[in-house]
Structures are given as structure tokens and as C-alpha cells.
Amino acid sequence: MAINPFTQLVFDLFILSAIVITAYTCNFYYLAFLSRRKNTLVQTDWGTPSITIQLPIYNEKYVAKRLVDAVCNMDYPKDKMRIMVCDDSDDDTVELLGNVVDDYQKQGFQIEHVRRGTRKGYKAGALKHAMQTTNTELVAIFDADFIPPTWFLKRAIPHFSKPNIGLVQCRWGHVNENYSAITQAQALSLDFHFLIEQKAKSNSHLFMNFNGTAGIWKRSCIEDAGGWHTATLVEDLDLSYRAQMKG
């Protein structure tokens, strides 16, 4: 009995979809298993190393001040914390940030408003430019829509007591998780990525990536891996893999 070509196509697509869904489900449970292991942090007195906090911003006037306020409110010595507002904006954000930075400078913060005068390389270009004058041991990066809690640095930095750690990637939270069904689905997806996938990869020493924000790098790790590359759309993934291939 001859099978209609359309029927055969539908059947083949069904089988292919079933295989893909089964593989994805198996991978999900495998990652969940790997993520169960707890990493114990040996508490050592690593002191308060110097850190530069880089804030790449472009035309984000509605959240830019909120970010700078949160960063300046973090519980860390002012003389050990340098803040670079890497502003490539071409709208009202420039004036807004200029005023905010000026206010915090008067309060004794080591904060500067960095203007390149170009958008070459976009975010990677801004970070690459900032690294030219960065001389601290650690570098933290936050996108404009983040609100780091006051304890962020004091809880993340001790992980660098292990000499082979080059990056600490922290989990993202959600300001508007319950706003709609779409935001709930997005939050669920991100929670799976950070609580299951990233944790499983870290536990098993598999390749994992910096997510572009809410993370801290050793400056020497960035430099040893070749620094930020602008000839890619995924500069965070690119640097992560180059750093891991360097050990």
C-alpha cells in the first residue's frame, strides 16, 4: 500500500520531534542530577582585594541611576572599590549619569563617567576600552537593568581564595517575575539555567559561560585569555571559553 508523501512527511516530523523531546528530557534529568552536589566554600581570610566595577550603559536613562545607586550602596570599603560608568549613550542618559557621578564623587567614591566618543565594538568595545586603565585585582560587571544587593561583593569574592578560579558567575534575580505569564515563563527559564545548568557544569568541571553581567573576573584571567574581542556578537561566551582553554 503506497503512503501519501505528505503523510510520510508528517510521520517523519513526529518521530524526529519525539526523539528531540526525549533527548532534551534525558539531558534535563542528567543536569539536575549533576547539580545536586553541594560545593563547600572553605572560608579563608582573603582580605578586601581591590575591585573595579564596570557598568556598560547605552541609552538606558530609566534604569541607569538605579544601577549606580545600588553599586555605590554596596558594603565594601570605598578605597578598594573603583566604579567605571562606561557610557556610550547618545540621549538624555549622558547628562543624567554625569550629574549622578558628580554627586557620588563629592561623597568620596572613586567613580568616573567614561565616554569613548564612539560605539565601536559596542559592549565588548566599551569593556575593552575600560580595561586599558583597570589595575585592580578583580573586575565586576553589571548591565544597566541589574540591582546588586549590598552584600554582593562580600559573598562572591571569597570564592577567589581558590587559585584556579578566574570567574564567579552569580545567579540573576527577577524584579517583575509575577507581572504576567510571559515574565513567569522567562523567570522559570532563567532559574533553570542558573540553578541547574550552570551549577551542573560548574560541579562537573564542564565548560560554562559568563552571562555578560552579575559576575566577577580576575583581571589577570581576562588578560591571560586575550581580553575582550569585538569581532563577535557573543563576547561573554567567547572570553569564557578562551579563559577555560587557558586553564
Side-chain angles (χ1 to χ4, degrees), residues 150-243:
T150 57
W151 43 258
F152 181 90
L153 295 178
K154 287 193 172 181
R155 287 184 58 178
I157 286 177
H159 289 277
F160 287 101
S161 59
K162 294 182 180 180
N164 65 329
I165 298 296
L167 161 72
V168 173
Q169 172 65 61
C170 298
R171 176 190 171 190
W172 299 1
H174 316 290
V175 175
N176 63 338
E177 178 178 357
N178 296 317
Y179 181 77
S180 68
I182 293 178
T183 57
Q184 289 177 336
Q186 289 175 323
L188 180 63
S189 174
L190 286 171
D191 286 343
F192 166 75
H193 175 65
F194 284 103
L195 296 177
I196 304 296
E197 183 181 358
Q198 289 281 58
K199 192 168 185 290
K201 290 179 177 179
S202 178
N203 286 349
S204 306
H205 304 289
L206 301 174
F207 272 43
M208 59 173 285
N209 64 291
F210 171 51
N211 291 88
T213 182
I216 305 178
W217 285 88
K218 274 185 181 173
R219 177 175 58 85
S220 58
C221 179
I222 295 177
E223 294 173 346
D224 185 53
W228 294 101
H229 287 184
T230 59
T232 174
L233 295 176
V234 284
E235 68 281 342
D236 42 15
L237 179 68
D238 174 66
L239 179 60
S240 301
Y241 275 35
R242 283 188 280 114

